[in-house]
Amino acid sequence: MKTFTQKLSYIFLLAVPVMVTLMAFVFGHQSHWVYLPGWFLNMLLMFLAVKALGDAKSETVRGIAWPLIMSWAPISVFAGMGPPPETAEGWAALAWEQQLRYCILIVSGTFTTIGFLRMYDMLRSGPGVRFAKVGKTMFVIALPLFITNMIYWGFFLTNVFVKYSQPGAPSKPDWLQTVSTAFTAVRMVEVTLIYLGTAVFAYALSRSGHLSRLASSVYIFFCCLCALLNLLPANLPAPLSIANYVSYIPAITLLMPYLIGVNFLSKVE
């Protein structure tokens, strides 16, 4: 029987991604003097909520859930940063914030992978071991690609935008388009692996009795849908182009693992 504090903590953790996304897209970029204190407060509240929800749970359950859930604690700063700038000039003007954004995503992606690797250790002696092994392999492959892609966006592209958005800057060399095409392929692969790896772990949890069949089916459906949307060409008409863009936003890619972590900590003893 959950206490009132645990129920409130569960609701708060489920609401965090919704609040962060709405604030990011509705209010856009805010002064760092405004959003940094709010970010620190939210991380503290998430820490306390996870601690309350994890009371009386086994060390194994807490060890798995903590990195999965806390992966979204640094991401919550995007509520004040807003989405990435839409122009090269805007990106260059906020260069340090974009570098910070993608460093945060590297940390969050690493936390997510750690959580699933620990989940594999828990599942390897049960009926879901074959699927957990596949999920583990997918994340082991995906993480280096994810980190490489974040470095590309956070540092390589930022330097390009700073250099070539200046007045009187030379024209961009043709090889930049080749690099962009290559990293589009990298993004497609790593995002697909993360979604499918998450779906496989959801199924493994269901097979082992740690997740209901309904919850597992919901996670699998949305992971497979987003993996498919991620592979669509970007030049499709709306709403498919919008769905394609949303599917590979890194914070959205890491959302399903976060929700699995919240429910895992809430339901499993």
Side-chain angles (χ1 to χ4, degrees):
M1 185 68 179
K2 292 185 179 68
T3 65
F4 174 77
T5 300
Q6 289 175 325
K7 291 178 181 178
L8 188 62
S9 297
Y10 178 68
I11 294 171
F12 170 72
L13 290 173
L14 290 180
V16 165
V18 178
M19 294 187 296
V20 170
T21 304
L22 287 176
M23 292 178 68
F25 284 96
V26 172
F27 298 108
H29 183 268
Q30 305 294 315
S31 167
H32 62 273
W33 295 108
V34 173
Y35 71 73
L36 286 180
W39 179 37
F40 295 138
L41 176 60
N42 181 71
M43 287 197 294
L44 175 61
L45 292 176
M46 288 184 70
F47 173 84
L48 295 175
V50 173
K51 187 175 184 299
L53 205 56
D55 279 350
K57 300 298 174 70
S58 70
E59 184 177 345
T60 299
V61 170
R62 292 197 303 269
I64 294 169
W66 270 80
L68 290 176
I69 297 172
M70 295 309 291
S71 67
W72 252 78
I75 286 176
S76 63
V77 73
F78 300 160
M81 279 188 181
E86 296 181 357
T87 65
E89 292 77 13
W91 196 293
L94 298 170
W96 73 270
E97 282 195 2
Q98 307 319 310
Q99 291 172 340
L100 175 61
R101 180 192 303 273
Y102 289 97
C103 286
I104 284 171
L105 288 166
I106 289 173
V107 172
S108 297
T110 303
F111 277 9
T112 297
T113 303
I114 290 171
F116 278 128
L117 293 181
R118 291 178 177 178
M119 187 178 289
Y120 166 76
D121 289 336
M122 181 193 73
L123 295 172
R124 64 181 175 179
S125 59
V129 60
R130 286 184 300 171
F131 304 99
K133 187 175 294 185
V134 173
K136 174 188 176 182
T137 302
M138 287 181 172
F139 272 95
V140 168
I141 297 172
L143 181 61
L145 296 176
F146 179 83
I147 292 174
T148 302
N149 197 33
M150 296 304 99
I151 292 173
Y152 167 74
W153 278 89
F155 293 89
F156 179 80
L157 276 187
T158 298
N159 288 334
V160 168
F161 291 148
V162 168
K163 180 177 180 180
Y164 292 103
S165 65
Q166 302 288 342
S171 299
K172 294 180 183 178
D174 293 339
W175 58 264
L176 283 177
Q177 183 57 48
T178 304
V179 173
S180 175
T181 302
F183 272 92
T184 297
V186 170
R187 182 264 296 169
M188 287 182 172
V189 172
E190 55 96 351
V191 169
T192 301
L193 286 172
I194 291 173
Y195 279 128
L196 295 184
T198 303
V200 170
F201 268 111
Y203 184 70
L205 286 172
S206 176
R207 285 290 302 271
S208 63
H210 293 97
L211 194 64
S212 72
R213 184 173 297 181
L214 175 60
S216 174
S217 298
V218 171
Y219 290 131
I220 292 170
F221 171 77
F222 280 105
C223 285
C224 292
L225 176 62
C226 289
L228 178 61
L229 292 172
N230 159 66
L231 296 174
L232 294 177
N235 58 357
L236 291 174
L240 287 176
S241 60
I242 298 173
N244 167 254
Y245 168 72
V246 171
S247 70
Y248 62 78
I249 294 174
I252 301 300
T253 308
L254 301 176
L255 178 58
M256 285 299 161
Y258 170 83
L259 294 175
I260 288 176
V262 173
N263 281 296
F264 181 76
L265 185 61
S266 174
K267 309 297 183 184
V268 179
E269 297 299 329

